[in-house]
Amino acid sequence: MPRVYNFSAGPSMLPVEVLQRAADEMLDYKGSGQSVMEMSHRSKVFESIIQEAEQLVRELLNVPANYKVLFLQGGASTQFAAIPLNFMNGSNKADFIITGQWANKAYQEAAKYGSARIVASSKDKTFSYIPKTTREDFDPEADYAYICFNNTIYGTKFNYIPDTGDVPLIADISSCIMSEPLDVTKFAMVYAGAQKNIGPAGLTLCIIREDMLGKARDITPTMLNYQIMAENDSLYNTPPCYAIYMCKLVLEHLKETGGLEAAKERNEKKAKLLYDYLDSSDLFKATVVPEDRSLMNVPFVTGNEELDAKFVKEATAAGFINLKGHRTVGGMRASIYNAMPYEGVEALVDFMKKFEMENK
Ligand SMILES: *Cc1c(COP(=O)(O)O)cnc(C)c1O
């Protein structure tokens, strides 16, 4: 069977070169006589894998020396609790911008631990835009402010970094990490589940400014304590070794293909092709206001649920899989992460044009 074009929001496609390399190294990783899955996480050979992965994260994202790079487990969702446990320990207040379900889940989790406040929300228009905020919107006493930078379900992305004054800003970048350059210095912490752009599910990359560490509540579970994880170079317990190795391969590939500037160019080209068609189509419509559109997740509708279902069914049969929109919003969504080739989007647009002709 030829490889399908997988438009899933996650887990999503990985570069074929990466999968091939992993396959080649499966039985014997670099002359060690074993698979990365089998080796000790305390061995020299694994140490070099995790160190190289960290180095690549630092290089690609231009991470300053005063930030820790952690490879954790539990997915992005585990950080929804870890973040308040680690940082909500001063005024016990935190400010949230609600731009969709992921931000809302993080907000609800934080509200279990302290006073979580909604600063702005785009719920009034089904999260189809990003609210604008100014420094005055944030409580200067808050322990942190929180945003979800790219909203996987609704297809919006912050086109600005909120000015929170002296309040540390934390961002969930799960669905846009490594898709384009990001000024990490504007954030106290950014983090991402790996399965959208950088590897297998479960692995979670956290990049945390050092001065944020050491504030955890006493009740913080050891495994959720960022300081302990940092002191142990992500090796407090057995880390997700194979997922870290896969992440390293993805990042190596990203570097070899020109880094984040080149990734941005490719992603903009892919997204433009799809959005331009959606904006010119009489059948399909993009649901997000043009200025806040995500490069990674492109939701669209026909306005007719039956036609939406027909489209998803026919697309699946034609090898374009996982185009159904999130169960809470319906319609369609094409997630076009780093590993989706331009040809995949081109083929999808051709298929959509044909469907439009046949269903006028
Ligand atoms: C996918 C996703 C999550 C959830 O990730 P898990 O690793 O499944 O916990 C959280 N936030 C965003 C923005 C996502 O896209």
Side-chain angles (χ1 to χ4, degrees):
M1 164 119 187
R3 278 177 61 79
V4 290
Y5 288 123
N6 179 8
F7 293 91
S8 170
S12 47
M13 294 178 78
L14 288 169
V16 176
E17 296 88 341
V18 166
L19 297 173
Q20 193 57 58
R21 170 106 182 261
D24 292 344
E25 292 179 337
M26 179 59 79
L27 295 184
D28 176 15
Y29 178 73
K30 291 193 174 167
S32 68
Q34 47 185 328
S35 154
V36 174
M37 255 179 274
E38 303 166 297
M39 62 182 52
S40 164
H41 60 292
R42 309 271 176 216
S43 62
K44 278 269 172 295
V45 54
F46 183 74
E47 214 170 75
S48 73
I49 291 174
I50 192 168
Q51 284 169 1
E52 276 170 47
E54 173 175 344
Q55 197 42 47
L56 284 159
V57 170
R58 289 190 178 277
E59 208 177 310
L60 285 163
L61 265 178
N62 225 337
V63 179
N66 65 326
Y67 283 68
K68 293 287 185 197
V69 173
L70 304 180
F71 296 95
L72 307 179
Q73 341 199 18
S77 302
T78 297
Q79 312 318 312
F80 297 168
I83 289 166
L85 282 163
N86 277 274
F87 308 129
M88 215 187 216
N89 201 13
S91 64
N92 288 359
K93 295 197 277 189
D95 280 353
F96 288 77
I97 302 180
I98 305 297
T99 50
Q101 270 199 35
W102 293 121
N104 197 51
K105 283 189 172 170
Y107 160 75
Q108 287 175 333
E109 198 75 6
K112 294 180 184 174
Y113 299 99
S115 160
R117 184 178 73 115
I118 297 175
V119 170
S121 165
S122 49
K123 193 174 178 196
D124 58 337
K125 292 186 179 152
T126 330
F127 303 114
S128 59
Y129 72 103
I130 297 286
K132 298 279 176 291
T133 55
T134 63
R135 185 185 287 211
E136 288 66 42
D137 293 320
F138 295 90
D139 180 351
E141 277 185 16
D143 290 329
Y144 62 90
Y146 183 99
I147 61 172
C148 180
F149 208 61
N150 183 80
N151 297 281
T152 325
I153 295 173
Y154 302 95
T156 59
K157 190 193 77 165
F158 275 82
N159 61 21
Y160 75 107
I161 296 176
D163 176 4
T164 57
D166 292 331
V167 179
L169 179 60
I170 297 177
D172 177 353
I173 57 168
S174 293
S175 52
C176 60
I177 184 165
M178 303 284 177
S179 63
E180 58 181 332
L182 180 72
D183 185 356
V184 173
T185 66
K186 295 279 196 298
F187 301 89
M189 169 177 175
V190 291
Y191 73 97
Q195 70 273 27
K196 317 288 162 69
N197 250 346
I198 56 171
L203 174 64
T204 317
L205 180 65
C206 294
I207 303 173
I208 308 175
R209 208 174 56 215
E210 277 168 0
D211 67 286
M212 296 295 288
L213 299 174
K215 301 177 182 180
R217 294 186 182 187
D218 295 340
I219 60 154
T220 305
T222 306
M223 282 297 295
L224 298 189
N225 188 313
Y226 294 135
Q227 186 180 27
I228 292 173
M229 294 299 136
E231 283 167 359
N232 288 277
D233 297 321
S234 307
L235 292 163
Y236 174 80
N237 73 328
T238 321
C241 301
Y242 197 77
I244 293 170
Y245 157 73
M246 286 300 297
C247 177
K248 180 188 91 102
L249 294 187
V250 171
L251 299 180
E252 264 170 7
H253 180 260
L254 199 50
K255 185 179 165 183
E256 283 160 14
T257 50
L260 298 194
E261 286 293 349
K264 179 183 185 185
E265 235 171 76
R266 288 191 295 269
N267 288 327
E268 282 178 345
K269 197 171 155 216
K270 285 186 289 182
K272 183 174 187 319
L273 179 67
L274 186 48
Y275 284 122
D276 281 355
Y277 167 63
L278 289 170
D279 289 341
S280 69
S281 167
D282 291 325
L283 179 65
F284 297 106
K285 262 172 205 43
T287 55
V288 173
V289 298
E291 64 271 21
D292 296 329
R293 287 175 177 176
S294 166
L295 290 179
M296 299 281 99
N297 312 97
V298 184
F300 55 96
V301 294
T302 64
N304 172 336
E305 273 179 40
E306 270 168 41
L307 210 50
D308 286 353
K310 182 172 185 237
F311 173 76
V312 170
K313 188 160 170 244
E314 291 182 15
T316 307
F320 306 100
I321 70 166
N322 293 320
L323 279 165
K324 198 168 187 289
H326 190 270
R327 59 188 185 279
T328 59
V329 288
M332 281 75 69
R333 171 179 49 173
S335 293
I336 49 175
Y337 296 115
N338 282 357
M340 172 60 67
Y342 183 80
E343 297 72 45
V345 181
E346 213 172 23
L348 174 66
V349 169
D350 287 346
F351 180 82
M352 290 169 75
K353 284 181 181 163
K354 186 166 138 279
F355 186 89
E356 181 169 356
M357 291 287 289
E358 292 166 357
N359 292 276
K360 269 210 261 231

